């Protein structure tokens, strides 16, 4: 019965979604608040209804209700309860429902807040946000419905899929389900899809506000930006976490020692992140100086469109990749919606183009404004390069008939320098003042971190005997870190001098009063850490492979791995485990025991390699079991990677979260007594004569 | 789909519908928009820019001369913004005043000049009709309309306009 | 009906010089290009969608081809009737291919005298890097470049690595998308070897 209720709630949510879209639009056009209020209530109610549906599906997965085709597909008796719940997003039907649920959640929270100030925008915000939500709910109801059951017509060779019982058919309930793809049965499954989806769906909010601003003609103001600033930050951090977790998961489970493969689906996530990050920075320009308005509009429309595009190519398999969702009839529906979004947004943008004139002009190339502009251009260039590489196989196949796959070398070569330029900009831009940076002052500010970083990176590289090609990358990282730390230092010093505070108090107050700025700097530090991990991955990896008899060791660098034993036993989840016990030595000293293993899932005939990893700040030792003797277990083949600095990638992700929390927690600027009010002396203008 | 589920489904619908249609039952009064105006934006931007300027100066990024020049400019901008906000206030006040005026004018009987309510269809003092029902479709038109605004039927003019009602 | 009282057009923005005219949209060339780009992209996606209905070829007769190996030999699929053929698509720049390479070679050595042929098809690669890859993993079975990607197209591969299983009578018995891991390949070969074969017209 719960599943039936879930289905009914789902359908009701769809009806409400459509109603909210139409009513809010009508209320906005005829300037009638009652219709808008009604639409708002309908939109808010969508979330609790979808929660009922989601709960129904999750319970069915947990309780192993195999009458539902979806449950039989992704759940099984062998799976732990924890995994059964995560199976909600393990297949197409559940994951689209999950997506719709998250989106309606975002919309609900936005609408529950006071929206008096954005009264004129609200009708269209609701209309756009609910149009999207209703679309996704509609896809769940009509195309990939998790409440579909399996039926058997007597004498038929195949099963029929339908929600309601067809006349003359009998219900078919299998004994057990197939279960999740073993690659998905990993801790990363709890983290990566939810955060990624939260990131994607969260961007519908700023997008809806932007479109509402365009429709109402209020696009020349920054009202829409102000209202959505925090939402953009929230969506962005979730997308960032999703990317890092995806990389971590790939690292743990795919067994090739890396975490980013430039796979089309990975790129699909990266592109909205790139434009989203540019957007996040670019809106600051509009808030402060009324500039870059056109850029902002273009960037948010791009971010949202790329998110839709990303989910389209992931779910339909139009561009082939390692991430394989099963292909369903989603394609045409998504295609229609994407077409509508792209063309609709573009025509609105062009219709209101002249409202987006900048209020001020660029005064100097040596200014923070110029830095923001450059940042936008760099991000856009990288996005375009990634986009080109991702769709090129499709284009080449259409035009020439042969599918030319674009591999990592292209991406690394093209985007590498651009990313390096961005990291450099990240370090230098805080040193610039608004409007006009005095050259001499800049020189004075830069030379200390510049010189110090040259020395430090030189020593660091030399001490580890690194290849000369790595030195520039090391210098870049050191320079940026020092530049950011200097900003902290200068700020603290100014407070100590100006207000006589003690260093610790000055530090706290500095961050507390300028949370956006310093939160942002902390995020930048996190980004540099991630960059460090990438440098290690690109330049400093080493690997080796060898077959060992019991007791023999394999040497790599300072480490050696000794093969102790090989065990075979049945594991949880219907898998058979082949586990090697090895001892890791560094310079002759025993460090730890590693257990690389190979799990084989019998039902799906799917093997999964799980590495044994030893992590330190300096890097990871990553051991894989790649071959063994079938009988006797006397010898085995191991592959060992040394991945220096990779831990910094994960740490950088955590630091980014910390920075975002600080930046997002800033007080609302509208409250009285917010920290930016000037001292009375400066605000009372009539007394400033002769200043 | 068993009976219990249908029952619950209906319960959901019954719960949802009142919430969705509630706004139609109690119309909210006209409100002054709390939306920010460009002048307010400009004011705030000037204040923020001043704050940033102070910061840049204290962290030694700009010269004294630039500092003074930009500061003067920003203060002037803030002054202009305050002026503009004052003007906006005046304009809004004017709009509200005119609207109240119109409402007042609409609520006097043209025949006996008694005070009326907006919703009165007949004057309670003299019986003057403020509405003219259409003989064809019954739609309530205003007394001065010559054709029904709903069905287009030509309307009778009672000839009562401006005269005392002959009762 | 409720009404909002707001300034609308009477709002004054002190920062913007009053009385400036609008441009009426970006220059028509820019907007034309933008629309053109979007329409072209949509067209591309539509075409891709239609194409996706055809999946990878994994049943029926295995498409025939002739491959010239890096050593200069030529090998034609249809001449290998009576033997089990494993066709593996790979590339030197493909990380998952590297993962399965040792296992492939190991399995080849195990089955080479039992009537099994391994063919490695190198996809969109350079000879130098391909040869380095072959040397690194000490691969001894047939390997050659897929010139003009004819073979990959014939098998409609979606990416690398992909491994196609061809039975003794020349029929495709399935495909593995992604890197092979033990004991998948051994099991499959055992299964195919167990099939009886008589040198006559293959059924269906």
């Amino acid at each position: 019965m719960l599943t039936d209720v879930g289905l009914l709630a789902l359908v009701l949510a769809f009806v409400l979604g459509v109603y909210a879209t139409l009513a809010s639009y009508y209320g906005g056009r005829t300037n009638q608040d009652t219709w808008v209020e009604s639409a708002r209530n309908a939109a808010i109610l969508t979330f609790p209804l979808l929660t009922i549906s989601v709960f129904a599906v999750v319970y069915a997965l947990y309780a192993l209700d195999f009458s539902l085709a979806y449950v039989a597909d992704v759940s099984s008796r062998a799976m732990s309860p924890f995994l059964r719940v995560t199976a909600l997003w393990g297949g197409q039907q559940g994951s689209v429902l999950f997506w719709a649920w998250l989106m309606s959640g975002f919309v609900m929270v936005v609408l529950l807040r006071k929206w008096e100030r954005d009264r004129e925008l609200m009708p269209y915000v609701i209309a756009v946000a609910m149009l999207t939500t209703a679309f996704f709910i509609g896809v769940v109801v009509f195309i990939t419905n998790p409440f579909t059951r399996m039926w058997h017509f007597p004498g038929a060779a195949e099963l029929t899929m339908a929600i309601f019982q067809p006349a003359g058919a009998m219900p078919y309930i299998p004994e057990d389900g197939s279960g999740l793809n073993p690659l998905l049965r990993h801790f990363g499954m709890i983290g990566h899809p939810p955060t990624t989806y939260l990131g994607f769906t969260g961007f519908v909010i700023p997008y809806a506000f932007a479109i509402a601003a365009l429709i109402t003609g209020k696009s020349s103001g920054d009202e829409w930006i102000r209202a959505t600033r925090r939402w953009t930050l929230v969506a962005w951090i979730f997308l960032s976490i999703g990317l890092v977790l995806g990389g971590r998961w790939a690292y743990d489970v795919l067994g090739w020692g890396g975490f980013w493969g430039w796979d089309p689906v990975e790129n699909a996530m990266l592109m909205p992140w790139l434009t989203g990050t540019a957007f996040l920075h670019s809106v600051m320009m509009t808030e402060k100086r009324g500039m870059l308005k056109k850029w902002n509009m273009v960037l948010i429309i791009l971010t949202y469109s790329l998110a839709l595009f990303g989910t389209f190519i992931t779910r339909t398999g139009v561009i082939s990749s390692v991430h394989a969702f099963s292909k369903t009839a989603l394609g045409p529906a998504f295609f229609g919606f994407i077409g509508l979004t792209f063309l609709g947004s573009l025509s609105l943008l062009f219709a209101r183009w002249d409202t987006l004139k900048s209020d001020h002009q660029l005064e100097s190339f040596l200014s923070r404004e110029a830095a923001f502009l450059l940042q936008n251009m760099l991000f856009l260039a990288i996005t375009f390069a990634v986009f080109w590489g991702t769709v090129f196989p499709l284009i080449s196949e259409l035009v020439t008939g042969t599918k030319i796959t674009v591999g990592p070398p292209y991406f690394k070569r093209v985007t590498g320098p651009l990313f390096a330029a961005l990291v450099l900009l990240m370090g230098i831009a805080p040193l610039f003042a608004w409007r006009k940076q005095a050259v001499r002052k800049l020189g004075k500010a830069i030379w200390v971190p510049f010189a110090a970083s040259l020395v430090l990176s030189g020593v660091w590289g030399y001490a580890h005997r690194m290849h000369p090609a790595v030195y520039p990358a090391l210098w870049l990282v050191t320079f940026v870190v020092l530049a950011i730390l200097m900003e902290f230092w200068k700020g603290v010093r100014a407070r100590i001098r100006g207000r006589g505070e003690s260093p610790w108090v000055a530090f706290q107050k500095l961050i507390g009063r300028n949370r956006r700025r310093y939160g942002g700097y902390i995020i930048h530090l996190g980004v540099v850490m991630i960059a460090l991990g990438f440098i290690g991955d690109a330049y400093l990896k080493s690997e080796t492979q060898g077959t060992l008899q019991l007791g023999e060791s394999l040497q790599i660098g300072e480490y050696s791995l000794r093969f102790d034993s090989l065990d075979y036993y049945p594991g949880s989840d219907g898998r058979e485990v082949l586990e090697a016990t090895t001892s890791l030595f560094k310079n002759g000293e025993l460090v730890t025991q590693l257990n690389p293993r190979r799990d084989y899932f019998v039902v799906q005939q799917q093997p999964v390699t799980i590495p044994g990893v030893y992590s330190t700040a300096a890097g990871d030792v990553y051991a894989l079991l790649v071959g063994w003797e079938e009988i006797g277990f006397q010898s085995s083949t191991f592959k060992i990677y040394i991945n220096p600095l990779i831990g910094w990638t994960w740490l950088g992700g955590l630091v980014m979260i910390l920075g975002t929390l600080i930046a997002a927690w800033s007080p609302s600027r509208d409250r009285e007594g917010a920290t930016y009010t000037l001292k009375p002396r400066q605000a009372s203008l009539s007394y400033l004569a002769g200043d | 789909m068993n009976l219990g589920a249908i029952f619950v489904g209906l319960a959901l619908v019954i719960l949802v519908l009142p919430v969705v249609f509630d706004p139609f039952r109690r119309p909210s009064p006209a409100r002054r928009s709390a939306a920010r105006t460009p002048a307010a934006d400009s004011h705030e931007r000037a204040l923020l820019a001043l704050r940033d300027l102070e910061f840049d100066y204290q962290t030694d990024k700009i010269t004294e001369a630039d500092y003074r020049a930009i500061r003067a400019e920003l203060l002037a901008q803030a002054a202009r913004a305050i002026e503009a906000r004052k003007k906006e206030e005046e304009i809004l006040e004017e709009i509200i005043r005119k609207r109240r005026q119109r409402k007042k004018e609409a609520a006097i009987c043209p025949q006996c000049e008694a005070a009326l309510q907006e919703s009165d269809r007949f004057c309670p003092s003299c019986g003057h009709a403020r509405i003219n029902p259409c003989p064809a479709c019954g739609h309530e038109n205003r007394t001065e309309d010559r054709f029904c605004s709903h069905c287009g039927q030509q309307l009778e003019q009672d000839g009562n306009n401006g005269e005392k009602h002959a009762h | 009906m409720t009404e909002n009282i707001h300034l609308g057009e009477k709002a004054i923005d002190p920062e913007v010089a009053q009385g400036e005219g609008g441009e009426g949209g970006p220059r028509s060339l820019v907007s034309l290009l933008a629309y053109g780009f979007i329409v072209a992209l949509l067209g591309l996606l539509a075409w891709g969608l239609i194409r996706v209905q055809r999946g990878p070829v994994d049943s029926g007769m295995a498409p025939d081809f002739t491959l010239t190996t890096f050593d200069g030999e030529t090998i034609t699929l249809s001449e290998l009737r009576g033997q089990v053929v494993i066709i593996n698509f790979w590339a030197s720049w493909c990380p998952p291919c590297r993962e399965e390479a040792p296992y492939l070679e190991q399995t080849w050595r195990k089955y080479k005298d039992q009537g099994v042929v391994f063919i490695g098809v190198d996809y969109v690669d350079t000879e130098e890097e391909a040869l380095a890859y072959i040397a690194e993993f000490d691969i001894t079975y047939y390997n050659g470049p897929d010139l003009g990607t004819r073979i990959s197209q014939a098998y409609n591969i979606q990416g690398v690595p992909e491994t196609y299983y061809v039975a003794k009578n020349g029929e495709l018995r399935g495909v593995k998308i992604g890197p092979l891991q033990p004991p998948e390949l051994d099991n499959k070969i055992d299964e195919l070897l167990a099939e009886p074969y008589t040198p006559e017209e293959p059924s269906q």
Side-chain angles (χ1 to χ4, degrees):
Chain A
M1 171 172 128
L2 184 56
T3 48
D4 290 334
V5 173
L7 176 63
L8 288 171
L10 181 69
V11 173
L12 190 55
F14 177 66
V15 172
L16 283 185
V18 173
Y19 172 75
T21 311
L22 297 172
S24 56
Y25 184 72
Y26 177 69
R29 294 292 286 184
T30 58
N31 200 18
Q32 292 183 67
D33 262 9
T34 45
W35 282 93
V36 180
E37 293 262 356
S38 175
R40 177 169 171 255
N41 291 353
I44 291 174
L45 283 175
T46 314
F47 180 70
L49 284 172
L50 282 179
T51 307
I52 296 176
S53 290
V54 167
F55 180 73
V57 175
V58 170
Y59 186 75
L61 288 166
Y62 173 80
L64 299 171
D65 178 0
F66 292 124
S67 67
L68 291 182
Y70 186 63
V71 176
D73 197 22
V74 300
S75 192
S76 70
R77 294 186 194 281
M79 281 165 62
S80 68
F82 167 81
L83 274 179
R84 286 183 220 166
V85 169
T86 67
L88 169 66
W89 52 83
Q92 192 80 274
Q93 297 94 316
S95 77
V96 184
L97 174 61
F98 185 55
W99 177 293
W101 180 60
L102 291 175
M103 189 177 272
S104 73
F106 264 115
V107 174
M108 182 188 82
V109 178
V110 169
L111 291 182
L112 280 178
R113 294 168 69 84
K114 266 179 35 159
W115 48 284
E116 287 299 316
R117 291 197 36 218
D118 308 305
R119 200 169 200 87
E120 283 152 54
L121 294 178
M122 263 320 172
Y124 302 105
V125 170
I126 300 176
V128 172
M130 289 313 287
L131 178 66
T132 312
T133 310
F135 169 73
F136 279 98
I137 303 177
V139 166
V140 177
V141 171
F142 296 109
I143 303 182
T144 62
N145 197 319
F147 297 106
T148 312
R149 297 173 194 272
M150 300 174 284
W151 311 93
H152 186 243
F153 282 104
E158 283 179 359
L159 294 171
T160 315
M161 300 289 178
I163 299 175
F164 297 109
Q165 181 161 14
M170 301 297 298
Y172 174 77
I173 304 179
E175 264 303 301
D176 195 2
S178 317
L180 267 183
N181 184 321
L183 282 174
L184 302 179
R185 301 193 200 187
H186 177 267
F187 183 74
M189 186 60 170
I190 190 75
H192 170 68
T195 48
T196 306
Y197 287 5
L198 280 167
F200 279 144
T201 57
F203 272 111
V204 79
I205 306 292
Y207 173 76
F209 271 89
I211 296 294
L214 285 174
I215 293 178
T216 56
K218 298 186 76 63
S219 31
S220 58
D222 55 353
E223 191 182 325
W224 68 274
I225 294 176
R226 234 181 259 274
T228 58
R229 183 174 63 83
R230 218 165 267 152
W231 296 106
T232 309
L233 202 53
V234 166
W236 179 84
I237 191 61
F238 275 121
L239 201 57
S240 311
I241 297 174
L243 278 165
V244 173
L245 281 181
R248 176 79 213 212
W249 190 5
Y251 185 69
D252 278 353
V253 160
L254 291 185
W256 51 279
F259 52 86
W260 187 265
W262 296 104
D263 183 80
V265 169
E266 290 173 337
N267 295 344
M269 255 193 85
L270 180 64
M271 290 189 286
W273 182 85
L274 290 168
T275 54
T277 309
F279 175 68
L280 203 59
H281 289 94
S282 183
V283 291
M284 283 194 237
M285 278 288 284
T286 306
E287 285 186 74
K288 304 234 176 192
R289 301 273 297 148
M291 293 167 73
L292 294 188
K293 295 184 194 177
K294 293 183 178 116
W295 274 99
N296 290 341
M297 276 299 174
V298 170
L299 283 172
I300 185 59
I301 290 176
L302 263 183
T303 305
Y304 179 70
S305 303
L306 284 170
L308 281 183
F309 177 74
T311 204
F312 172 76
I313 63 176
T314 307
R315 293 179 190 277
T316 58
V318 165
I319 302 178
S320 47
S321 89
V322 167
H323 283 68
F325 272 94
S326 61
K327 300 165 184 136
T328 60
L330 277 186
F334 259 93
F335 176 76
F337 189 69
I338 284 187
L340 173 72
T341 306
F342 286 179
L343 292 172
S345 312
L346 197 64
S347 53
L348 260 177
L349 178 66
F350 287 160
R352 299 289 191 194
W353 192 249
D354 37 334
T355 64
L356 298 171
K357 246 172 102 70
S358 280
D359 295 341
H360 295 274
Q361 302 306 316
L362 197 64
E363 286 174 37
S364 157
F365 280 120
L366 230 56
S367 64
R368 211 173 264 206
E369 288 92 333
F372 274 104
L373 186 61
L374 183 59
Q375 167 239 209
N376 275 357
M377 295 198 284
L378 281 171
F379 269 116
L380 206 59
I382 299 177
T383 307
F384 188 72
V386 173
F387 182 78
W388 182 246
T390 309
V391 298
F392 190 70
L394 206 54
I395 298 176
S396 69
E397 199 177 352
L398 173 63
V399 171
T400 68
T402 64
K403 181 160 48 172
I404 302 178
T405 311
V406 178
Y410 159 80
F411 290 106
K412 286 190 196 173
R413 246 198 312 260
V414 176
T415 65
L418 293 171
F419 272 120
L422 264 177
V423 172
L424 183 62
L425 191 60
M426 208 171 67
I428 295 188
L431 301 177
F432 284 112
W434 289 100
R435 303 179 66 152
K436 203 161 62 163
Q437 169 65 42
V439 182
R440 260 200 349 246
K441 298 270 177 188
L442 180 67
K444 225 174 90 168
I446 266 194
W447 83 266
V448 166
F450 185 75
S453 57
L454 277 178
V455 170
L456 278 175
S457 60
V459 167
W460 184 11
Y462 187 71
H464 287 83
R465 267 156 288 157
M466 293 192 194
H467 191 274
V470 187
Y471 280 78
L474 283 183
W475 166 77
L476 183 62
V477 164
T478 333
F479 173 65
V480 173
V481 169
L482 285 177
I484 296 177
L485 290 178
M486 267 209 62
E487 273 300 299
F488 276 94
W489 166 237
K490 283 199 288 200
V492 169
R493 195 178 58 182
R495 285 193 85 93
I496 293 177
R497 280 198 202 142
R499 297 161 208 257
E501 290 168 354
S502 72
W504 176 237
V505 172
F507 180 72
Q508 284 180 301
K509 289 236 169 107
L510 181 73
I511 299 191
R513 296 281 156 85
N514 298 282
R515 284 184 225 190
R516 267 179 91 182
R517 182 192 289 249
Y518 287 95
Y521 290 166
I522 294 177
I523 297 178
H524 286 176
L525 278 175
V527 173
V528 174
M529 290 185 200
I530 293 180
L532 195 58
F534 266 89
I535 290 174
D537 182 67
Y539 295 110
L540 304 172
K541 275 170 83 138
S542 52
E543 63 181 76
T544 187
Q545 182 171 305
T547 308
L548 300 174
Q549 302 291 324
L550 281 172
E552 278 186 341
S553 293
L554 188 59
Q555 184 85 21
I556 177 167
E558 305 171 302
Y559 293 94
S560 72
L561 192 75
R562 188 185 69 200
F563 176 34
D564 294 332
S565 71
L566 190 64
D567 302 296
Y568 183 74
Y569 59 87
S572 62
D573 260 9
R575 68 180 97 182
E576 290 169 3
V577 181
L578 190 64
E579 183 172 332
T581 311
T582 63
S583 302
L584 185 68
F585 292 85
K586 183 173 177 177
N587 294 325
E589 301 260 321
L590 177 68
V591 171
T592 185
Q593 199 179 68
L594 291 179
N595 299 307
R597 49 185 239 247
R598 177 65 56 83
D599 293 358
Y600 186 69
F601 288 82
V602 184
V603 173
Q604 293 93 341
Q605 296 192 330
Q606 170 86 35
V608 178
T609 316
I610 301 185
V613 185
Y614 170 64
S615 302
T616 61
D620 278 5
V621 180
Y622 187 97
L624 291 166
L625 176 67
V626 297
W628 57 88
E629 256 178 12
E630 293 286 334
I631 319 258
F633 294 167
Q634 288 299 316
S635 77
S636 297
T637 312
F638 293 95
K639 191 175 185 99
I640 310 178
Y641 288 97
I642 305 279
N643 296 323
L645 302 175
I646 194 168
W648 288 94
T649 308
W650 322 127
L651 184 62
L654 289 173
V655 171
M656 277 173 76
I657 297 176
L658 173 68
T660 308
L661 285 173
I662 294 177
W665 227 272
S666 40
S668 163
R669 292 218 298 273
D670 322 306
R671 279 190 297 138
E672 300 305 327
T675 60
Y676 63 87
T677 22
L678 300 174
K679 298 204 278 251
R681 177 179 69 85
Q682 286 156 308
S684 50
L685 305 160
S686 50
Y687 295 95
L688 282 175
D691 189 353
Chain B
M1 180 86 33
N2 60 27
L3 213 54
I6 297 182
F7 183 70
V8 173
L10 276 172
L12 282 175
V13 175
I14 292 173
L15 280 173
V16 156
L17 284 182
V19 179
V20 171
F21 290 113
D22 175 64
F24 294 109
R25 290 190 287 124
R26 36 160 206 85
S28 38
R31 252 179 294 212
R32 177 168 154 180
S33 172
R36 295 190 74 95
T37 58
D41 276 350
S42 175
H43 186 209
E44 187 174 317
R45 240 185 261 151
L47 291 181
L48 279 178
L50 276 166
R51 184 166 176 258
D52 278 340
L53 187 70
E54 287 295 320
F55 196 82
D56 284 346
Y57 183 55
Q58 281 165 11
T59 52
D60 207 26
K61 294 195 179 102
I62 51 177
T63 61
E64 173 111 14
D66 280 340
Y67 169 64
R68 289 200 182 285
I70 298 177
R71 184 152 172 273
E73 197 187 305
L74 286 172
L75 286 172
Q77 178 184 323
R80 282 199 305 275
I82 292 176
E83 279 303 310
R85 282 182 98 164
K86 277 209 203 108
K87 280 213 186 61
E88 283 173 356
E89 284 292 321
E90 286 168 18
I91 295 175
L92 270 170
E93 284 303 323
E94 181 69 23
I95 293 178
I96 292 176
R97 204 175 48 75
K98 282 216 185 82
R99 179 182 282 241
R100 284 210 197 105
Q101 182 81 354
R102 260 186 318 166
K103 272 207 145 120
K104 267 188 70 184
E105 282 158 9
I108 294 183
C109 174
Q111 190 162 273
C112 67
E113 295 191 15
L116 294 177
Q117 301 224 17
E118 186 76 55
S119 50
D120 288 341
R121 284 149 74 234
F122 292 89
C123 171
S125 303
C126 68
H128 172 78
R130 293 174 81 212
I131 51 131
N132 189 359
C134 168
C137 70
H139 178 75
E140 294 183 352
N141 299 284
R142 295 169 298 176
T143 36
E144 61 266 32
D145 294 340
R146 294 191 299 143
F147 292 90
C148 173
S149 59
H150 185 75
C151 71
Q153 168 74 30
Q154 187 164 17
L155 298 173
E156 278 178 12
Q157 303 295 313
D158 283 343
N160 274 349
N161 296 347
E163 291 174 17
K164 276 199 186 299
H165 193 71
H167 264 201
Chain C
M1 170 171 131
T2 61
E3 226 186 298
N4 278 320
I5 305 166
H6 58 93
L7 286 168
E9 281 149 19
K10 293 209 187 68
I12 306 166
D13 188 345
E15 281 179 75
V16 176
Q18 301 299 322
E20 272 186 39
E23 297 155 11
R27 289 191 301 278
S28 25
L29 178 65
V30 172
S31 53
L32 197 67
L33 279 177
Y35 277 114
F37 177 76
I38 298 292
V39 170
L41 178 65
L42 287 174
L44 184 69
L45 293 179
W47 177 81
L49 254 188
I50 298 170
R51 228 199 111 269
V52 138
Q53 309 308 341
R54 301 190 279 127
V57 182
D58 65 350
S59 59
M61 293 300 290
D64 195 18
F65 61 85
T66 303
L67 179 73
T68 308
T69 69
F70 287 111
D71 300 323
E73 301 177 61
T74 46
I75 177 163
T76 305
L77 181 64
S78 50
E79 289 171 10
L80 298 171
R81 288 289 156 74
Q83 302 185 71
V84 171
V85 185
I86 305 295
I87 308 175
N88 172 258
F89 289 88
W90 63 278
S92 68
W93 44 261
C94 148
C97 303
R98 304 174 62 81
E99 202 196 292
E100 67 170 4
Y103 176 51
L104 278 169
E105 177 60 23
Q106 192 183 325
T107 317
W108 158 245
R109 293 190 192 179
K110 178 174 161 192
Y111 285 100
K112 62 199 284 193
D113 299 318
Q114 298 182 37
V116 180
V117 179
F118 273 53
I119 305 181
V121 181
D122 183 24
Y123 176 72
V124 184
D125 210 347
T126 57
E127 182 159 331
E128 194 184 306
E129 277 156 353
L131 289 174
Y133 181 95
I134 292 172
E136 182 186 335
F137 294 103
D138 196 20
I139 303 177
T140 56
Y141 53 84
Y142 293 117
N143 255 301
D146 182 14
L147 297 173
T149 65
R150 292 214 174 75
I151 309 177
S152 343
Q153 284 180 70
Y155 283 81
N156 200 23
I157 69 170
Q158 307 290 309
V160 277
E162 283 183 17
T163 308
Y164 289 79
Y165 308 114
V166 185
K168 295 180 194 171
N169 60 7
E171 282 180 14
L172 268 179
R173 290 269 189 266
V175 55
K176 165 74 181 183
I177 314 273
L180 283 162
Q181 291 177 348
E184 282 178 273
L185 190 54
D186 300 77
N187 290 346
K188 195 72 190 183
I189 295 179
D190 288 335
E191 198 182 299
L192 291 172
L193 278 175
E195 278 181 21
Y197 175 68
T198 40
E200 58 189 0
E201 291 293 313
S203 50
Q204 282 180 306

